[in-house]
Amino acid sequence: MTTQPRPVYVIGGGPGGLAAAAALRARGIRAVVVEKSDAVGASWRRHYDRLHLHTTRRLSALPGLAMPRRFGRWVSRDDVVRYLEKYAEFHELELVTGVEVTRIEPDGDGWILHASGGRELTAAAVVVATGFNHTPALPDWPGRDTYEGRLLHAADYREPGPYAGQDVLVVGVGNTGAEIAVDLAEGGAARVRLAVRTAPHIVRRSTAGWPAQRTGILVRRLPVRLVDRLGTLVAKLSVPDLSPYGLPRPTSGLYSRVREGAIPVQDVGLIDAVRKGKVEPVPAVASFEGTDVVLADGTRLTPNTVIAATGYRRALEGLVGHLEAVLDDRGRPRTHGGRTPPQAPGLYFTGFVNPISGMFREMSLDAEKIAKAISRRLRRTAA
C-alpha cells in the first residue's frame, strides 16, 4: 500500500462503494469506506424478503470476487448481503461504520469531509456511493397528510404475512411495485390492486435461457430509435397484450423511456397474476379524502393498506448541492464513473444510474474507471 498522506474516502458501504474501494486498493491506493450504518450493504438489508437480482449471478459480480454458484442464477437479497460482507473481508477493505458524512468541501488539491460527531476528514479524492435507493419519496398527493387509512412506502414493506386477508392498493408499477403486488397476491391478501400512472414496458427476465440483461448489454450503444423498434417487436412476440385487463402496451419506445430514467419491468409473475385476476391494474392515484383513495378516473377505493412504490430520491443536496454544477436540476450527479466535474476535480460518483445492462455490472465498470482516474490524478499531484 502507498503512504500518501491523505487517503481516498469512499462514502457508502454498498456494492458501488465496496467495488470502488477494492479497485483502488488493487492499485496500491489507500481507500477508506465510510458507512453511516453499522454494516455494509445497509440498503440491501432493508429491502423486502422476496427480492432477487434481476441480473444474472455471473454478470453481477464485483471486481475481484465471483459470486458463488450455490447462490443460483438469480441471487436473493440475503445472498447479496452475504456476498457484500465476504467481499469486504476478502479484499481487506478499510471500513469505518456508524459515521455519516454530511458535507463535502474543497480543500486545495483535496477535500474536507464533515462528518457526524464533529469529525473533519481530509481526503485526496472522494467517491460518493451513497446509493440509488437512498431516501424514500412520496408524492405530495392532495389530502395525503390527513388520510385516515394506512399509507406506507415500499421501503417499509418486508413480506406479505401482515396483509393476509386485506384489500391492498399498491401505487406504482416499476419493478418494486410489480413485485410487491405479486408477493401480496401469492401471500394471502384478499385483493390486490395496482395503480398505474404510465403503462410500463414489461420484459421477460429470461427467454429460452437468454437473460434480458445480455440483450441490454448488446443494444445499449445502438441508436435509440432502432432499439425502440426492436423492443416493440420483441414485446409483441414474447409479452401478451394485457390491455383487456387494464394494462395497455406503452405508447413510447422502450429505450426512449430508459434514457429518461424508466427501467422496464422484469416479469417475475406480474403477467400471470394480471391475467388470472390476482392483481388488478387501476388508474393512478389522484388524491386522498378521509378514508378514501380517489383515482384519476374518479373511482373511490377504501383499501386496508396503501403501499406506495413511488421510488427514492438521491438526497445529495446537503452533501454536494452547494458545489457548482455538480448536480442537475433533478438532483442527480452530472458525471459518473471515471469522469469528474470540471468545477470539482477529484470528486467521483458511482451507483446513480440504472442502465438496462445491469446496475451491479455498471458499478463494477465504474469502479475500475474511477480507480484508474484517481491513480492518474495522484501521480500528477505528486509530480
Side-chain angles (χ1 to χ4, degrees):
M1 302 294 287
T2 63
T3 56
Q4 74 261 17
R6 294 184 292 183
V8 175
Y9 276 97
V10 179
I11 306 174
L18 298 181
L24 286 163
R25 191 179 189 283
R27 289 177 175 267
I29 300 170
R30 184 186 174 204
V32 180
V33 179
V34 183
E35 167 57 48
K36 70 176 182 179
S37 71
D38 60 359
V40 299
S43 64
W44 274 91
R45 296 174 192 272
R46 293 193 299 266
H47 285 314
Y48 50 93
D49 295 351
R50 180 191 179 99
L51 180 64
H52 285 67
L53 284 176
H54 292 161
T55 53
T56 66
R57 182 192 75 252
R58 293 183 62 185
L59 294 175
S60 300
L62 302 178
L65 183 66
M67 287 187 173
R69 292 186 64 182
R70 68 178 182 275
F71 286 179
R73 194 180 198 193
W74 313 105
V75 183
S76 71
R77 181 205 64 181
D78 289 347
D79 282 339
V80 169
V81 172
R82 293 186 185 98
Y83 173 72
L84 296 179
E85 291 172 339
K86 182 64 178 180
Y87 191 84
E89 176 187 348
F90 178 82
H91 287 291
E92 299 179 338
L93 300 182
E94 189 172 349
L95 296 169
V96 178
T97 59
V99 174
E100 181 178 7
V101 178
T102 56
R103 186 178 175 91
I104 303 172
E105 294 182 343
D107 178 39
D109 290 334
W111 296 85
I112 292 180
L113 285 65
H114 299 274
S116 55
R119 298 174 178 86
E120 288 190 357
L121 312 173
T122 57
V126 179
V127 181
V128 179
T130 49
F132 194 84
N133 297 332
H134 187 276
T135 302
L138 274 177
D140 190 19
W141 288 299
R144 186 195 73 184
D145 295 338
T146 57
Y147 177 54
E148 298 173 14
R150 186 185 184 201
L151 170 64
L152 63 144
H153 191 274
D156 297 314
Y157 176 87
R158 292 294 176 271
E159 50 93 16
Y163 311 95
Q166 287 193 14
D167 181 342
V168 185
L169 173 66
V170 180
V171 184
V173 70
N175 278 295
T176 297
E179 193 157 358
I180 288 176
V182 173
D183 198 33
L184 287 164
E186 294 178 352
R191 187 173 189 179
V192 180
R193 284 175 280 206
L194 182 60
V196 180
R197 183 180 62 180
T198 304
H201 286 275
I202 302 175
V203 299
R204 300 286 188 181
R205 187 169 63 175
S206 178
T207 303
W210 178 265
Q213 181 189 9
R214 286 198 178 275
T215 302
I217 294 170
L218 292 174
V219 305
R220 67 173 306 196
R221 302 298 182 189
L222 296 178
V224 174
R225 290 184 179 180
L226 175 59
V227 180
D228 282 348
R229 289 196 294 269
L230 291 173
T232 299
L233 177 61
V234 170
K236 289 182 178 179
L237 293 174
S238 62
V239 178
D241 184 11
L242 300 177
S243 299
Y245 306 94
L247 197 60
R249 293 190 186 277
T251 56
S252 56
L254 184 151
Y255 204 27
S256 295
R257 292 277 298 279
V258 169
R259 297 290 290 271
E260 296 170 359
I263 297 299
V265 172
Q266 299 245 7
D267 177 45
V268 289
L270 180 65
I271 293 173
D272 285 345
V274 169
R275 296 177 77 181
K276 294 176 181 178
K278 295 181 178 180
V279 172
E280 308 168 45
V282 296
V285 170
S287 64
F288 293 86
E289 294 182 14
T291 59
D292 289 351
V293 181
V294 183
L295 304 182
D297 65 352
T299 301
R300 289 176 175 266
L301 308 177
T302 311
N304 299 113
T305 302
V306 179
I307 301 175
T310 47
Y312 295 79
R313 294 187 296 107
R314 311 292 87 81
L316 292 169
E317 290 79 7
L319 190 66
V320 297
H322 56 286
L323 301 174
E324 181 184 357
V326 168
L327 303 179
D328 64 16
D329 56 2
R330 296 173 61 184
R332 303 172 304 183
R334 293 183 182 273
T335 60
H336 76 276
R339 294 182 294 120
T340 186
Q343 298 86 348
L347 179 62
Y348 302 86
F349 296 88
T350 183
F352 295 97
V353 295
N354 193 8
I356 56 177
S357 52
M359 182 176 282
F360 271 55
R361 181 178 181 273
E362 188 73 20
M363 288 187 291
S364 296
L365 297 173
D366 277 354
E368 301 291 355
K369 294 174 184 176
I370 289 169
K372 184 177 180 180
I374 290 178
S375 179
R376 287 198 304 262
R377 175 177 174 79
L378 294 179
R379 287 199 301 268
R380 288 198 303 268
T381 56

